[in-house]
Amino acid sequence: MSALYLLGFRDDERGTEEVTSSEGKTILSHKKGLGVQPADLIRLYDRRDHYVAVGRDADAIAAFYFRSSSAVRHWSDGDGRTPYLAINKKMAAEVMRACLLVQRRRLEVYSLDGARWVLSRRGSPGNISAFEEECLRDGELPPDASTTIAAVRLGRTAGSKGYSGNARLVGVCFADGASRSLRTSEFEDDENLCTLESLLCQQGTREVAVTDAPRGAFAQKHAEQDLRRLVGSEQPVHARAFETQQQLPVGCFSALCRHLDLPSLTESHGQWGIEWVEPREFVRLDASALRALSVEPQPNEADRNASLYGIFAKTKTAGGGRLLRKWLKQPLLSPHEIEHRLDLVQTFVSSLELRATLRDTCLPAMGARAGSSRLRRPAACARRRCGLCPLVGADLDRLQRRLFSGRATLQDVVLLYSLLGSLPRLLSALAGGGYAEGGEGEGEVDGHTLVQSAFTEPLQVVHENFERYRQLVHAAELAGLGASRDETVAEIEAAHEALCERLGVDEGRVKLEKGAPHGYHCRVSRKENMTHNSLVDEKLIRDADGVNVLGTKKDGVAFRDKALDKLAARYKELAAHYQTAQARPQRPLSRRRGARARLIPPAGTLVTKVVDTAATFCPLIAELAGHLTKLDVLLAFAAVAASAPEPYVRPTLLPPEAPRALRIDGARHPCVERMESAGGGTGSFIKNDVALGDHAADAEVPSLLLVTGPNCGGKSTYIRSVGVCVLLAQVGCFVPADAMEFSPVDAILARVGAGDMQSRGVSTFMAEMLESATILRAATASSLVIIDELGRGTSTYDGYGEPSPVRRHFHELTALADREAAVGNRHVAAHVDGDDLTPLFKVQPGPSDQSYGVAVAASCDFPSSVVESAKRKLAELESATVGGGPAADAADATAKRERLASVTAEERAAGTAEVRRRLFDFGMDTPQLSESLRASTNPYVRALLEVATAEVAAEAGV
């Protein structure tokens, strides 16, 4: 039994084909002539009815897609055996999608032009315009996929020949082929380009064109003309796109046009939109922060609860999923906008009946989420199994692009008509009852009024503007064409069910299929599998009365009974009528190399006019999609907040005039509390409090918390939960806590986890230092900084010598709280009984009172001899600290600082004067200065000298 079978592929489902040796020789000859192939490039050869991959491309596709080498075949030539993989069109589309969006490889497709192989299509993770049909076949990208490419250009700051200090002027242009959107920006940045990094992360950039661009790639000639072609002459162009300080974004746009060959893609002209991106509009998040806060799922991550996107991915529309990804990476800075979103979420949280109606009934009919079980079939298709009838829900963004580009069919027109037919029910739900009472008390939200202004009224205007479209479809009598065909499909499914029941065979063993040359028919496999003997089924079919065997192949026996024969013939007639009605002249495809223009002969003049007229409603479709996706995401926020193991609460924004503060009672990490390891039920997650603020304004609240405790004790979860709560609050969502008050932050900066960059010669410790240096330069008084386990890879005292304001985990660092009033100590509690360590996951005031390293090692089943040796060594080190050695204990250091603080004001003034006089007398002669100070009788000088001597000795390791 093959590995593909065990993975769920039947032999007839692999999509593999045979290729003759003569065909293989022409492909091999061409591929060798291309020279050295980059490691991240996959090449496919289009043989009209199938695709061929050769050599390492065949092995790579078999490995990452089939996960087996059994589908790979070989050609024999003079140099040995060459592997190849031939796959049909359907399977090739799956491979292309996985290659570009999942594996993030580049892709080239070659086709025959006469007797020569020519490059017909080229794509990359940031440029999928040539593979839209394959990548966007279901209207949605994978959660961790993005198709955004950026061009970046560095310029000079105003008024200088070079750079003004370390500042740089940065111009950037983003292009997203999936959503047909252009975004430009120009801003000043620091030498580390922190703002640029944040912007690239928030836009989901997959590729960047910068230093490798050829000379002239950023030329601005004809840029405005090209832009007008892409966005359409009637669409407004944001003035800032061409009126910036040095027009750097214009040059970036020109570079992207050249790289993506946008002017030649005529079918996309007029479909692009352009907007200006203001980096200071959103909270600054770099790649480390997105990773530390688990904003997006990691590749091949099985548990959807391991990321914020996975938890909140409860949207009902494809556009809602895209907007959710965008919002999570772009937290708001404006208190007004944050409050507005929170008001809407609060309305939907408290209005259970309204939320259920919108999510379960209205939104699924307005555009079901692609790739999910929520895609609806027509009402007549009760069983919803065949996958053959058209969907009622669809991606409005993709539908708009099809209409505008001239690739739409009659089915698209009817589909839009069906969607609009569900709009009145949505409006009725929004305008009706089901709202929780509110609006009377101070701070209460009048949910009905809020939803009316945000959604009901704009959607009502859209609905009225679509009236002419509905009249157009009715006049053409198009709505009934698809309905008759769909009703026949439902009858075919019912006949299939009756046939299986009459034969006494499970429906899973008799497949209902549709394809040439038989149309709708049933098939039973001729291959044995692990659950039953298929040969028995075949004999049963042949011996049954009233069953007509249509044909026998290696993949099975095709058959129908009399009832299915009549229905299949009726469907064929209806489908032919439907196809004839929607046949229309189609605009030629773009003139890429090797591409051939398609032109369907003109027929069905009325339908042709209807489809062309429907394309004029594209701006209305975009407006409708915008309202629905926003409503979808807000409803998803409300659903998650209400259905969490413990309900989320609304965070409270502190007024701008109040001192900056962050107070969270009972903070939880949303991912951890949903993981099975945390119990998954209410009360299983140990909640903790956090209080941070402006110490100068409130002496009781620290500005910096140092958290110590044993490994696996919950320190990382604690500090990350704080960052996640702040992120969700500024996104406009409820937070996993008992209560939260906060002042908005301008950046969330994180240094979490260990990793090196061997290809660049950067060790783990060096990578940590580089990230920490970037944080220290980018952080402001309004930033939230999260640093976990900084300084690994060094000795304890080397690590202590690193910038102490950002250190955590070493006991020596906890003494900072005695010297710096803005620093606070916290520790995670744990219980140790011999070698047994039990983390309690509760964060308590003060530093950790002991080291748990040996206990952690024992709990990890270290050999007993190693554990005992570690205990002896620890005892030796602890005894060495007695008497003021180089590692003086915290209690001794505290006592010395207390003596320093106990001197009177007069003694302190006299001591300061004495130190200044002796510094003037001895200058830089350190030995003589030290001897002179030791002879002093001033209490302040003597206490100061004791503390300084202990710290110098500790740093020197003496």
Side-chain angles (χ1 to χ4, degrees):
M1 186 176 296
S2 70
L4 285 175
Y5 185 86
L6 293 175
L7 290 170
F9 291 94
R10 300 193 314 269
D11 290 343
D12 58 305
E13 289 178 333
R14 299 184 194 183
T16 56
E17 306 283 348
E18 293 284 352
V19 178
T20 63
S21 178
S22 59
E23 292 176 325
K25 288 181 179 179
T26 61
I27 295 175
L28 284 174
S29 175
H30 175 266
K31 186 166 184 174
K32 290 179 180 178
L34 295 176
V36 179
Q37 180 174 336
D40 65 336
L41 176 64
I42 295 290
R43 288 177 173 142
L44 294 176
Y45 289 82
D46 187 357
R47 296 289 298 169
R48 297 185 183 276
D49 59 342
H50 64 274
Y51 288 85
V52 179
V54 181
R56 75 178 191 192
D57 295 332
D59 294 332
I61 293 174
F64 75 73
Y65 186 77
F66 290 103
R67 300 185 185 278
S68 170
S69 60
S70 62
V72 178
R73 295 177 172 85
H74 293 81
W75 290 314
S76 297
D77 53 25
D79 299 331
R81 289 164 54 84
T82 302
Y84 78 91
L85 182 65
I87 50 180
N88 61 31
K89 294 284 188 178
K90 181 179 179 181
M91 191 64 69
E94 298 283 348
V95 170
M96 293 174 186
R97 177 181 169 92
C99 177
L100 291 169
L101 302 182
V102 180
Q103 293 292 316
R104 300 174 185 173
R105 297 171 180 257
R106 289 184 292 159
L107 182 63
E108 291 180 352
V109 175
Y110 293 84
S111 59
L112 281 173
D113 184 8
R116 298 185 304 109
W117 289 104
V118 295
L119 179 64
S120 59
R121 292 194 287 173
R122 174 189 286 130
S124 62
N127 177 21
I128 63 167
S129 57
F131 297 92
E132 281 192 0
E133 288 298 320
E134 293 84 2
C135 293
L136 303 178
R137 70 188 190 287
D138 56 3
E140 187 180 20
L141 300 174
D144 57 345
S146 174
T147 58
T148 301
I149 184 172
V152 178
R153 190 177 185 185
L154 302 180
R156 299 175 178 178
T157 55
S160 65
K161 296 182 178 179
Y163 296 133
S164 175
N166 293 326
R168 300 183 181 185
L169 192 65
V170 179
V172 61
C173 180
F174 300 93
D176 187 348
S179 61
R180 293 277 202 270
S181 62
L182 294 167
R183 299 180 290 276
T184 61
S185 185
E186 184 177 280
F187 50 90
E188 284 195 12
D189 207 349
D190 58 27
E191 60 180 348
N192 295 306
L193 300 178
C194 297
T195 304
L196 175 61
E197 179 190 2
S198 176
L199 193 59
L200 292 175
C201 292
Q202 290 178 334
Q203 299 295 328
T205 309
R206 283 288 175 260
E207 294 182 58
V208 178
V210 55
T211 55
D212 297 73
R215 183 178 181 85
F218 290 94
Q220 300 177 16
K221 187 178 181 180
H222 306 308
E224 188 167 359
Q225 180 181 354
D226 291 337
L227 183 60
R228 290 291 180 184
R229 288 184 188 146
L230 295 180
V231 304
S233 58
E234 298 181 358
Q235 293 190 32
V237 177
H238 201 298
R240 296 186 66 180
F242 285 92
E243 296 179 4
T244 58
Q245 183 176 346
Q246 296 184 13
Q247 292 194 329
L248 296 180
V250 182
C252 296
F253 168 74
S254 300
L256 286 183
C257 281
R258 175 171 178 172
H259 179 73
L260 302 177
D261 198 19
L262 294 180
S264 67
L265 303 179
T266 56
E267 75 274 11
S268 69
H269 287 182
Q271 300 184 45
W272 291 79
I274 186 169
E275 60 180 333
W276 180 265
V277 178
E278 181 57 58
R280 296 170 183 83
E281 183 179 356
F282 306 108
V283 175
R284 196 162 69 247
L285 291 171
D286 58 12
S288 298
L290 292 174
R291 185 172 56 252
L293 302 182
S294 303
V295 174
E296 291 189 297
Q298 298 300 311
N300 303 319
E301 194 170 62
D303 193 341
R304 64 177 300 166
N305 290 326
S307 67
L308 294 180
Y309 178 83
I311 290 176
F312 287 95
K314 310 295 184 184
T315 54
K316 299 292 185 177
T317 65
R322 291 191 291 268
L323 184 61
L324 171 64
R325 238 184 345 254
K326 178 180 178 181
W327 278 11
L328 288 177
K329 293 190 292 186
Q330 296 179 353
L332 300 171
L333 281 176
S334 169
H336 173 73
E337 294 182 9
I338 296 173
E339 289 283 14
H340 180 66
R341 282 190 192 173
L342 289 173
D343 288 342
L344 288 168
V345 173
Q346 180 176 338
T347 299
F348 294 132
V349 167
S350 57
S351 306
L352 175 60
E353 181 182 351
L354 173 66
R355 187 176 74 244
T357 301
L358 293 175
R359 283 178 50 80
D360 299 337
T361 305
C362 299
L363 280 180
M366 295 301 300
R369 183 180 177 83
S372 75
S373 60
R374 294 188 292 273
L375 284 167
R376 291 201 311 117
R377 306 289 171 186
C381 184
R383 294 180 57 231
R384 305 180 185 181
R385 281 190 191 172
C386 64
L388 302 171
C389 49
L391 299 174
V392 172
D395 184 353
L396 285 171
D397 290 332
R398 190 182 183 207
L399 183 59
Q400 175 203 2
R401 290 198 300 271
R402 288 178 59 82
L403 284 169
F404 197 94
S405 63
R407 294 182 288 115
T409 63
L410 175 61
Q411 181 171 337
D412 296 311
V413 176
V414 176
L415 178 57
L416 179 58
Y417 176 84
S418 300
L419 295 175
L420 295 176
S422 302
L423 189 55
R425 181 168 49 182
L426 175 65
L427 288 170
S428 176
L430 291 172
Y435 290 91
E437 295 184 1
E440 298 181 359
E442 183 179 356
E444 292 291 332
V445 177
D446 184 0
H448 188 274
T449 303
L450 189 66
V451 174
Q452 283 286 109
S453 60
F455 296 108
T456 309
E457 294 174 1
L459 286 173
Q460 184 64 45
V461 173
V462 172
H463 177 63
E464 294 171 357
N465 292 334
F466 267 115
E467 180 62 30
R468 192 167 64 88
Y469 179 86
R470 290 189 293 273
Q471 294 175 358
L472 179 70
V473 175
H474 274 297
E477 298 182 353
L478 301 179
L481 287 175
S484 299
R485 186 189 62 171
D486 297 337
E487 291 174 0
T488 303
V489 171
E491 294 181 28
I492 289 174
E493 288 192 325
H496 168 240
E497 185 176 359
L499 177 59
C500 293
E501 184 177 352
R502 181 166 68 88
L503 297 175
V505 181
D506 184 79
E507 296 178 35
R509 293 157 64 180
V510 178
K511 306 294 184 182
L512 177 63
E513 298 181 346
K514 172 176 166 285
H518 307 303
Y520 271 107
H521 63 276
C522 296
R523 181 182 62 82
V524 62
S525 176
R526 302 183 69 232
K527 299 181 181 295
E528 291 190 39
N529 61 29
M530 296 183 293
T531 59
H532 67 278
N533 188 342
S534 298
L535 299 179
V536 177
D537 292 341
E538 180 182 353
K539 186 176 185 302
L540 180 65
I541 297 303
R542 293 184 181 277
D543 294 343
D545 294 333
V547 173
N548 178 26
V549 177
L550 303 176
T552 302
K553 294 183 179 181
K554 65 178 182 178
D555 62 337
V557 179
F559 66 95
R560 285 194 300 246
D561 64 358
K562 293 181 180 179
L564 201 55
D565 270 332
K566 294 179 181 179
L567 291 171
R570 188 201 306 173
Y571 178 87
K572 184 176 181 181
E573 180 181 352
L574 290 172
H577 183 203
Y578 189 88
Q579 189 67 30
T580 300
Q582 71 169 330
R584 57 188 301 274
Q586 188 163 344
R587 300 177 189 176
L589 297 178
S590 61
R591 298 290 184 173
R592 302 186 187 94
R593 276 190 298 167
R596 293 180 173 86
R598 293 188 294 116
L599 188 64
I600 300 177
T605 306
L606 177 60
V607 176
T608 299
K609 293 181 179 179
V610 168
V611 176
D612 288 339
T613 305
T616 63
F617 289 85
C618 284
L620 272 181
I621 299 174
E623 185 179 354
L624 174 61
H627 293 309
L628 292 179
T629 54
K630 181 180 178 181
L631 176 63
D632 192 14
V633 175
L634 292 172
L635 286 169
F637 284 168
V640 173
S643 62
E646 186 172 344
Y648 294 2
V649 299
R650 174 172 179 159
T652 301
L653 270 78
L654 295 174
E657 63 274 9
R660 295 193 57 81
L662 171 62
R663 290 183 289 272
I664 308 177
D665 297 335
R668 314 188 305 275
H669 196 295
C671 299
V672 177
E673 77 168 340
R674 286 176 177 263
M675 303 285 279
E676 292 182 358
S677 59
T682 302
S684 61
F685 188 94
I686 306 300
K687 300 181 288 186
N688 289 290
D689 303 336
V690 63
L692 290 167
D694 184 359
H695 181 76
D698 187 352
E700 299 297 325
V701 181
S703 301
L704 171 66
L705 285 182
L706 300 173
V707 187
T708 54
N711 290 347
C712 305
K715 301 184 300 297
S716 296
T717 300
Y718 173 68
I719 63 176
R720 294 186 198 206
S721 64
V722 176
V724 169
C725 286
V726 173
L727 173 72
L728 292 179
Q730 296 197 217
V731 166
C733 178
F734 282 22
V735 298
D738 295 338
M740 177 176 174
E741 293 182 336
F742 74 104
S743 301
V745 301
D746 62 359
I748 301 179
L749 307 171
R751 210 241 60 82
V752 176
D756 56 15
M757 294 178 284
Q758 294 183 356
S759 61
R760 302 182 186 179
V762 177
S763 66
T764 301
F765 179 70
M766 180 59 71
E768 292 177 349
M769 291 299 99
L770 291 173
E771 291 177 357
S772 300
T774 301
I775 289 176
L776 292 175
R777 290 188 178 97
T780 69
S782 301
S783 301
L784 175 64
V785 179
I786 299 173
I787 297 183
D788 189 13
E789 301 260 0
L790 182 66
R792 286 169 290 188
T794 67
S795 70
T796 300
Y797 297 106
D798 285 339
Y800 183 65
E802 302 303 330
S804 58
V806 295
R807 290 301 318 279
R808 178 178 79 72
H809 203 56
F810 295 129
H811 296 299
E812 291 86 347
L813 201 61
T814 60
L816 281 174
D818 298 318
R819 287 183 288 174
E820 299 291 340
V823 178
N825 278 318
R826 300 291 185 271
H827 73 278
V828 289
H831 176 70
V832 179
D833 185 6
D835 290 339
D836 295 331
L837 175 66
T838 304
L840 303 179
F841 304 111
K842 189 65 178 176
V843 177
Q844 298 178 346
S848 182
D849 59 351
Q850 60 178 301
S851 173
Y852 296 92
V854 176
V856 171
S859 66
C860 295
D861 294 329
F862 264 60
S864 58
S865 58
V866 176
V867 174
E868 294 301 324
S869 175
K871 288 181 179 179
R872 291 193 298 270
K873 187 63 176 176
L874 178 62
E876 293 175 4
L877 292 174
E878 288 177 343
S879 63
T881 64
V882 177
D889 61 8
D892 186 37
T894 301
K896 291 177 178 179
R897 280 188 293 273
E898 289 177 352
R899 290 197 297 273
L900 178 63
S902 65
V903 299
T904 64
E906 294 77 6
E907 292 173 334
R908 185 183 299 268
T912 302
E914 183 177 348
V915 171
R916 288 177 177 172
R917 179 175 55 80
R918 296 182 187 278
L919 284 173
F920 179 79
D921 291 341
F922 295 101
M924 297 301 294
D925 192 347
T926 304
Q928 293 188 40
L929 175 62
S930 178
E931 286 296 324
S932 175
L933 289 176
R934 289 182 186 280
S936 175
T937 59
N938 184 278
Y940 178 70
V941 175
R942 295 182 64 83
L944 187 65
L945 188 62
E946 286 183 356
V947 174
T949 303
E951 292 182 353
V952 171
E955 291 182 1
V958 178

